Amino acid sequence: ELYREVWLRLNTVLPRCLWIMTINALLDINNGNSRNVTITQENVLVDPLQVLRCDIRVFRCGPILKIILRILEASLAASRSQLSRHLLDKPLLEKSGQLTSDAEREELKNALVAAQESAALQILLEACLETEEDQSKPELMWSLREVRSVICSFLHQIFISEPSLAKLVHFQGYPRELLQVTVQGIPSMHICLDFIPELLSQASLEKQIFAVDLVSHLSIQYALPKAMSIARLCVNT
């Protein structure tokens, strides 16, 4: 926690430089290649997911994870801004090749941004999974609870600001054992009730099962007429 407080103070002085130094310091040391790799600011702008290449132990340390999430949020925003700037700086002069309009370029940019952000959220959700090592060490179970709380708070902010991202993540799906964690830990999960009928109509049986499981948790967490109506729809589907 002291490390985090010092980091936050330094962040007011030289933020971008500090972010890169932090990312490089927390690289996965178990990966032999990481010792020869130095992540630069340009790398992060192109691929913000580089921020999450950190050592696995970071995902069991709440204060350090908060720092990483702060860097991740800023990096995703910077990458989004960079892509928008790229479209403005390099206008479509000739309608040749696959892209024929600025609208198509904008659509591709939005798709890339959504892919980056949803991938980041999926990595964070995966970090919430309980491992065998967690089960064998009581102190890691306490750390896991803290980490889940930190990640759920982060996801809540993301879902509130970008509801479409919540829809994308749930259409992609994630381990069903995390549904209890997300529904109880993310206050904005009730927005899932808006798109569950669409999720239920998917051809994939796996997605339908995921939707039913999600509804079961939402119905318990939110005793609302809408939740009951969706639950009835699941039973009748």
Side-chain angles (χ1 to χ4, degrees):
E1 193 64 40
L2 177 61
Y3 177 89
R4 178 171 171 269
E5 290 179 8
V6 173
W7 190 93
L8 289 174
R9 291 195 178 188
L10 289 173
N11 189 51
T12 62
V13 181
L14 63 169
R16 288 184 175 82
C17 180
L18 180 63
W19 298 345
I20 300 303
M21 290 170 62
T22 303
I23 295 169
N24 283 304
L26 296 175
L27 276 177
D28 186 1
I29 59 175
N30 293 321
N31 183 352
N33 296 327
S34 66
R35 297 179 181 178
N36 303 321
V37 173
T38 300
I39 294 176
T40 64
Q41 189 171 331
E42 289 72 23
N43 297 146
V44 175
L45 279 176
V46 173
D47 182 13
L49 298 182
Q50 297 282 341
V51 176
L52 296 175
R53 287 182 57 189
C54 48
D55 190 282
I56 190 67
R57 290 172 294 181
V58 170
F59 295 103
R60 289 298 179 268
C61 180
I64 303 298
L65 182 59
K66 288 179 182 178
I67 290 175
I68 287 296
L69 293 181
R70 192 183 184 99
I71 298 173
L72 176 64
E73 185 176 14
S75 300
L76 288 170
S79 179
R80 199 182 311 124
S81 177
Q82 171 88 348
L83 288 170
S84 298
R85 182 66 182 269
H86 178 76
L87 293 186
L88 293 175
D89 291 346
K90 298 185 181 297
L92 190 63
L93 300 178
E94 297 181 3
K95 295 183 178 180
S96 59
Q98 295 180 339
L99 299 178
T100 58
S101 68
D102 288 330
E104 289 183 4
R105 298 176 76 209
E106 183 70 22
E107 188 177 339
L108 282 174
K109 185 211 74 173
N110 292 336
L112 176 58
V113 169
Q116 286 180 338
E117 295 183 352
S118 64
L121 299 190
Q122 291 287 3
I123 292 172
L124 293 176
L125 284 168
E126 188 177 337
C128 292
L129 287 170
E130 185 178 317
T131 65
E132 292 183 2
E133 188 178 4
D134 293 329
Q135 296 172 354
S136 63
K137 297 179 180 178
E139 65 274 14
L140 286 182
M141 288 301 296
W142 286 105
S143 297
L144 177 60
R145 291 182 184 179
E146 181 184 8
V147 162
R148 282 176 170 176
S149 176
V150 170
I151 290 177
C152 284
S153 296
F154 180 77
L155 293 178
H156 172 61
Q157 297 299 326
I158 296 293
F159 288 171
I160 287 294
S161 60
E162 291 286 344
S164 60
L165 201 52
K167 180 177 180 179
L168 177 58
V169 167
H170 285 87
F171 267 71
Q172 291 172 340
Y174 51 85
R176 282 160 50 202
E177 56 263 38
L178 288 177
L179 283 172
Q180 184 175 0
V181 176
T182 55
V183 171
Q184 293 182 1
I186 305 175
S188 54
M189 279 292 286
H190 61 85
I191 64 177
C192 295
L193 293 170
D194 294 333
F195 55 76
I196 283 179
E198 187 180 349
L199 185 56
L200 275 171
S201 65
Q202 298 297 303
S204 170
L205 180 61
E206 185 177 349
K207 289 187 177 181
Q208 293 176 15
I209 294 173
F210 180 82
V212 172
D213 209 351
L214 174 59
V215 171
S216 68
H217 286 87
L218 288 173
S219 300
I220 295 172
Q221 186 72 13
Y222 304 101
L224 303 171
K226 185 174 184 178
M228 297 303 110
S229 175
I230 299 295
R232 191 179 300 112
L233 175 64
C234 290
V235 173
N236 295 332
T237 300

